[in-house]
Amino acid sequence: MTHRRNQGFTLIEILVVIAIMSVILSFGLVVDLNIFKGDSFRAEQSTIVSVLSRARSRAMANLFYDDHGVCYVVPNYVIFQGNTCLVAGSELIPANVNIISTFTPAKIVFKRLTGNTTGATIHLTDGIKSAYIIINNEGAINW
């Protein structure tokens, strides 16, 4: 008479497979979170460049026959008319509060018709990544 062994997996085999799957899944989650953080950082850069471009376009189009500028007042980027930040009629664009934006100087003003400015640098950081957006005297935005 032949003995027939039970077919199936042992408890040890099942635990080993679960451990391997846990390691693979945890590595995948870490990679996905880093990709998300990178996407947020690049999105904030794009937002700032868009805001600067919008203000420069308004100045060059001589909208309301005045200069236009951008400043950062937590938690918003402010597109303003004239030389004073936070005046009536300013446009507020929400900023990502997890990314620190430092404007040097504190406001960037584009001259009407030419789009020229005194030059400025914006430093972005999320504690890990860091980037600069540089606006030259002619109003060109480099990032």
Side-chain angles (χ1 to χ4, degrees):
M1 173 155 97
T2 60
H3 288 278
R4 197 166 168 178
R5 292 186 82 194
N6 289 335
Q7 299 288 324
F9 298 106
T10 66
L11 181 60
I12 299 294
E13 291 171 332
I14 292 172
L15 290 175
V16 168
V17 169
I18 289 173
I20 290 171
M21 294 300 292
S22 298
V23 168
I24 291 171
L25 289 173
S26 65
F27 178 72
L29 289 176
V30 169
V31 170
D32 285 343
L33 290 176
N34 286 334
I35 289 172
F36 174 73
K37 287 181 181 178
D39 286 346
S40 296
F41 192 81
R42 284 187 294 279
E44 192 67 9
Q45 278 182 303
S46 296
T47 298
I48 293 172
V49 170
S50 173
V51 167
L52 291 167
S53 296
R54 191 178 311 168
R56 185 170 187 255
S57 293
R58 289 178 182 184
M60 291 177 70
N62 202 17
L63 194 65
F64 303 113
Y65 307 104
D66 208 349
D67 299 338
H68 290 269
V70 176
C71 65
Y72 178 61
V73 178
V74 178
N76 296 306
Y77 300 109
V78 180
I79 300 176
F80 59 90
Q81 176 184 335
N83 289 314
T84 306
C85 189
L86 291 177
V87 294
S90 294
E91 182 179 351
L92 303 176
I93 293 87
N96 183 340
V97 293
N98 296 321
I99 298 173
I100 299 169
S101 304
T102 307
F103 282 55
T104 306
K107 64 181 179 179
I108 301 163
V109 179
F110 296 98
K111 298 293 179 192
R112 66 186 184 117
L113 296 175
T114 64
N116 292 344
T117 186
T118 57
T121 302
I122 300 170
H123 180 242
L124 296 172
T125 185
D126 65 357
I128 298 170
K129 294 180 184 149
S130 182
Y132 289 93
I133 300 172
I134 299 168
I135 302 99
N136 68 16
N137 293 339
E138 295 166 351
I141 304 164
N142 300 311
W143 58 302

